[in-house]
Amino acid sequence: MQTEDQNDTDVNLPELLARVEFDRELLREVFQIFTEEFPAIHSHLKQAIASGDHRRTLANAHTMKGMCASLSFSKARASALRIEQLAEQSAVEKLPIELAILERDVILAQASLERICKEAVR
Amino acid sequence: MKILLADDDPVSRRLLERALERSGFDVVCVADGESAAEQLLAPDGPRMAILDWVMPRKDGPAVCKLVRECVGIPYVYLILLTAKEAIGDIVLGFEAGADDYLTKPCNPDELQARMRAGQRVLQLQDSLLYEAEHDSLTKLPNRAFFVKRLATCVRKAREHAGYQFTLLFVDVDRFKSINDSLGHLVGDRLMESVAQRLLEAVRTETSPSSQTCHRRKNGWPGDVVARIGGDEFVILLDDFADIKDGMRVAERIQEVLRPAFHIDNNEVVITTSIGISTSTGQNTNSSEILRGADTAMYRAKILGKARYEVGDSQEAAAAADRFKLEADLRRAVERDEFEVHYQPIVELADSRIVAFEALVRWRHPELGMIQPGSFIPIAEETGLIVPIGELVMRKACRQTHSWNTHSPSLEPIGICVNISPRQFGEANLVNRIKTILDETGLEHRCLELELTENLTMQDVSRASQILAELRSLGLSLSLDDFGTGYSSLSYLLRFPIRTLKIDRSFISEIENSRESSQIVQTIIALGHNLGMKVVAEGIETEAQMQMLKTLQCDLGQGYLFSPAVDSSAATAILNVGISGTFPMRHSRRRAQPIPVIKIVAGSVASLH
């Protein structure tokens, strides 16, 4: 069961709000973009890892890292960074596990942010 | 200011885009390196760019390198976006040509601060560049700018067939004396004012609405007016297709610089020597075109200053001569520099003068008498033949009326006047001729209009109508050049022509060529059979005259009798004759038109 603290660390809200200059509309907009784009990038990353293509793994992990960083998904960003580093080192055996961790971290972060956005509307 | 944002991460891109828009930037977004490079290297591309380090199709550093290698585009301020943990790579980014970097995700305040810094750098750059390429006194582009622009134009000329440009070197005459006598401050103010007037002259003359230029539609802002020396200016006319346009600009420059300059209670009048040179298509060479304009400018100085000269290519010189002749011809019409000379037409049977042919001469104030062959083609092309033709007709009719009035007991003399195709095409030709006859008082039956065959070919029914109207005025009509065109004998029946003319080329051979003699004989028979009279032109010898008399040619004209002479000499010929060749005019016997028939060369062609 996730605690309130864990949910909060999934998304660094003060940092995120400062980045969007407290524009809730902009926040909802970029969250929407993330939600729409994430499945495709995740799928590319998964395929790249499965096929052992380190170059594509690196590129997609980099993009994923950037997107998570932009929304202050701290844990997810750290997971994406680990995948990037593993791909650079060609440490293929750990990639599937790290991908699973990344998926979990993104889902948790999305849920947190969604809740935050709904609370803001109320 | 326009800024390019290149980032494949859509979330990051949107956040940055909003932050930049809030700062007042006009943001262009792309998602890969190739698109970024395309935008930055395009004309009027963004002056600032934020480039993500890792992007598809070209990364940020590669785009920086490409932009820095490109010569000739304004400076672009480049910022690389890098991840926090990749900060060690920033040295690579600077070496690739980046000016600054930002770490992702960006802090909005940091972003704004770095953007402001970038704008300051660009402003300073632009200011330095402007000073390096502009004259501090007149604010015109300077020699450095002009040289760069010239190189661009030369490259364009070599790459694009049909593209041309023109240079004008403008030197203020005796500027040193003005500086020495009135001081350098006045000299400087004078140069500032000259610069302004030059700009106005070029803008006016080369604007899209100008009627006088034949510019292609590439936009006139490509023209450059630059100051390249103390009293020297150069004007580059971009995409000029005709040297006449360059000459028009030169004339406009002289016109705007003519009024005095009022500087600190001094009234200063200047003139300029101008040299003009044009590019020579794909063989254009910078040094040659510069040398051409410079040489022409110095030639203008040597020839007395306050003038323009064209550079030394043969084509340009020929075009310049023609342009000047055209300009002189227009002035000649305004000042009536034309004279009418008269060549007698005589009855071959008794050498009696029955008419004169009126021939135009142009007495140029500097060049003297100019023969029709030199200016009639230009007059026809420009339409000046219409007013010239009217001048000639009016003078000839007035003179002939004077002859006939002063000797009322003698048979009236007729006058033959040529009508050009351009005149024939005028809508109110008949009315104009009627007006001239009314003004001069000449009896209508004394005027004969000499027409060429091709004149009637353009629109046969219209020609037929006009000729019928002219005949209805009581005039006579003769047909010149019959048979040299495309008509057939049916035209002789269709049009109310009373005269056929034998071209001088047949007459000159009549003594030596049996064929010529037979052609002449045939033409005479044709004319007589159709009820026309026949005139032979270009009779120069007694033998030719005798042969023509034997062939029963009716009338003759040529040097044997008299060349074309001015009105005084023509009057003398009428009154006293020429060495017995011409007897005195006979008494008035009948009140009928004076028929003058001239057989036209080539009419034999239509017989076949």
Side-chain angles (χ1 to χ4, degrees), chain A residues 15 18-21 23 26 29-30 33-34 37 41 62-63 65-67 69-71 77 81 84, chain B residues 8-15 18-19 22 52-54 83-85 104-109 112:
Chain A
E15 182 189 84
R19 190 169 301 122
V20 299
E21 295 180 278
D23 184 344
L26 177 60
E29 188 186 339
V30 293
I33 292 172
F34 181 94
E37 296 286 331
I41 298 172
H62 180 83
T63 303
K65 181 186 74 179
M67 286 170 62
S70 293
L71 284 176
R77 181 197 168 273
L81 175 60
E84 210 182 356
Chain B
D8 62 324
D9 172 354
V11 175
S12 165
R13 194 168 65 232
R14 183 65 188 121
L15 285 169
R18 276 297 287 269
R22 280 208 183 95
D52 193 20
W53 194 289
V54 178
K84 283 197 180 81
E85 63 279 355
K104 287 170 82 163
C106 302
N107 176 285
D109 293 333
Q112 276 193 19

Side-chain angles (χ1 to χ4, degrees), chain B residues 57-313:
Chain B
R57 294 175 73 206
K58 221 180 220 53
D59 61 23
V63 174
C64 289
K65 217 158 162 274
L66 196 66
V67 170
R68 293 301 179 231
E69 281 168 2
C70 190
V71 175
I73 61 168
Y75 192 82
V76 183
Y77 194 82
L78 299 170
I79 300 172
L80 277 173
L81 269 179
T82 181
K84 283 197 180 81
E85 63 279 355
I87 212 78
D89 290 337
I90 202 63
V91 171
L92 290 172
F94 281 127
E95 281 177 355
D99 294 291
D100 200 356
Y101 70 94
L102 279 165
T103 50
K104 287 170 82 163
C106 302
N107 176 285
D109 293 333
E110 185 189 354
L111 176 68
Q112 276 193 19
R114 288 186 188 273
M115 291 298 110
R116 278 199 294 272
Q119 283 178 299
R120 280 197 300 273
V121 167
L122 283 179
Q123 274 167 10
L124 185 60
Q125 276 260 347
D126 290 347
S127 173
L128 285 172
L129 187 65
Y130 182 87
E131 281 173 29
E133 293 185 339
H134 286 77
D135 174 55
S136 56
L137 177 67
T138 62
K139 310 300 178 217
L140 291 179
N142 60 14
R143 182 183 288 270
F145 182 99
F146 163 68
V147 167
K148 265 170 57 175
R149 180 60 69 87
L150 178 63
T152 304
C153 290
V154 168
R155 199 166 45 244
K156 246 163 94 171
R158 288 180 183 163
E159 291 166 4
H160 301 281
Y163 169 81
Q164 267 192 278
F165 63 92
T166 298
L167 286 188
L168 284 81
F169 271 27
V170 181
D171 187 288
V172 177
D173 298 325
R174 302 187 187 91
F175 178 66
K176 189 173 179 308
S177 336
I178 296 171
N179 240 1
D180 291 344
S181 57
L182 299 177
H184 287 271
L185 285 177
V186 172
D188 282 353
R189 295 271 306 278
L190 177 64
M191 284 300 104
E192 283 179 283
S193 301
V194 167
Q196 282 310 308
R197 290 197 195 180
L198 285 176
L199 281 171
E200 284 308 312
V202 173
R203 280 183 191 142
T204 308
E205 197 57 34
T206 67
S207 73
S209 61
S210 168
Q211 297 291 322
T212 57
C213 290
H214 307 285
R215 302 293 299 284
R216 293 192 294 188
K217 291 179 184 171
N218 277 343
W220 57 279
D223 299 336
V224 172
V225 178
R227 184 183 184 211
I228 57 171
D231 60 347
E232 284 180 311
F233 298 84
V234 64
I235 294 166
L236 190 153
L237 300 174
D238 187 26
D239 197 20
F240 257 61
D242 197 324
I243 192 163
K244 284 198 282 189
D245 295 328
M247 294 162 84
R248 285 195 183 97
V249 172
E251 290 189 347
R252 177 84 181 124
I253 287 170
Q254 289 176 319
E255 195 187 307
V256 303
L257 294 178
R258 200 168 290 128
F261 293 83
H262 298 279
I263 302 169
D264 294 343
N265 300 320
N266 297 294
E267 195 175 279
V268 184
V269 175
I270 64 164
T271 59
T272 51
S273 296
I274 304 175
I276 307 173
S277 184
T278 55
S279 57
T280 49
Q282 290 170 302
N283 295 325
T284 296
N285 177 288
S286 286
S287 340
E288 275 178 27
I289 191 173
L290 283 169
R291 191 170 46 243
D294 203 36
T295 306
M297 191 265 290
Y298 275 108
R299 192 161 67 242
K301 291 242 183 247
I302 290 166
L303 291 172
K305 301 184 169 68
R307 58 192 292 142
Y308 64 85
E309 290 290 320
V310 176
D312 53 1
S313 85

